[in-house]
Amino acid sequence: MKSSSALSSPGRTLASEPGRQAFLLLRTVFTVAPILFGLDKFTNLLADWTVYLAPVATAVIPLPAQTIMYGVGIVEILAGIAVAVRPRFGSMLVAVWLLGIIVNLLLLGSFFDVALRDFGLLVGALALNRLSPRIHRGQ
């Protein structure tokens, strides 16, 4: 009978386990991407992010769209750092953030393709959450 435990197979490390590899891949992507996209909110090199902001956002938060995007950038950077440091918590933060982006895009009434893509990312963030090891108090 084949054991799935890396500890019972002398030549295998935890990093060679498929679940561990999936965790590391998702953790890396959900750390790097939010940080890079968050930083880009300050430079707009990749996109003019304000076109993705529903007008209702500036009605609720009476600030210029670019100022709101600066706040969005800060949240995204913090979410990426949270995934790096506490992947179980950070992945849920990213999932909730992506849900907010999806709602914003649906309210905007366009960019449905981006909303669908972000739904796929949301599912990936939830998968990262399920793969993330539980951190026990006292460790």
Side-chain angles (χ1 to χ4, degrees), residues 134-139:
R134 294 185 188 274
I135 297 177
H136 300 286
R137 289 187 179 152
Q139 285 186 345

Side-chain angles (χ1 to χ4, degrees), residues 25-95:
L25 179 62
L26 289 168
R27 182 180 185 186
T28 300
V29 168
F30 283 109
T31 295
V32 174
I35 291 172
L36 289 179
F37 289 129
L39 289 171
D40 196 59
K41 299 302 187 286
F42 295 90
T43 62
N44 291 312
L45 292 175
L46 297 173
D48 176 5
W49 296 103
T50 60
V51 301
Y52 296 101
L53 190 62
V56 69
T58 54
V60 173
I61 304 169
L63 294 171
Q66 186 57 55
T67 303
I68 292 173
M69 294 316 287
Y70 293 149
V72 167
I74 290 168
V75 171
E76 289 175 344
I77 292 166
L78 292 174
I81 293 169
V83 170
V85 176
R86 299 275 311 271
R88 195 165 181 84
F89 167 76
S91 60
M92 287 306 292
L93 179 60
V94 168

Side-chain angles (χ1 to χ4, degrees), residues 18-34 79-80 82-84 87-88 90-92 94 98 120-133:
R20 180 71 176 158
Q21 291 172 356
F23 166 76
L24 292 172
L25 179 62
L26 289 168
R27 182 180 185 186
T28 300
V29 168
F30 283 109
T31 295
V32 174
V83 170
R88 195 165 181 84
S91 60
M92 287 306 292
V94 168
L98 285 163
L121 290 171
L122 185 151
V123 172
L126 294 175
L128 174 58
N129 180 265
R130 297 296 298 146
L131 290 168
S132 296

Side-chain angles (χ1 to χ4, degrees), residues 101-110 112 115:
I101 292 171
I102 292 165
V103 168
N104 170 75
L105 293 171
L106 294 176
L107 288 172
L108 187 59
S110 58
F112 297 118

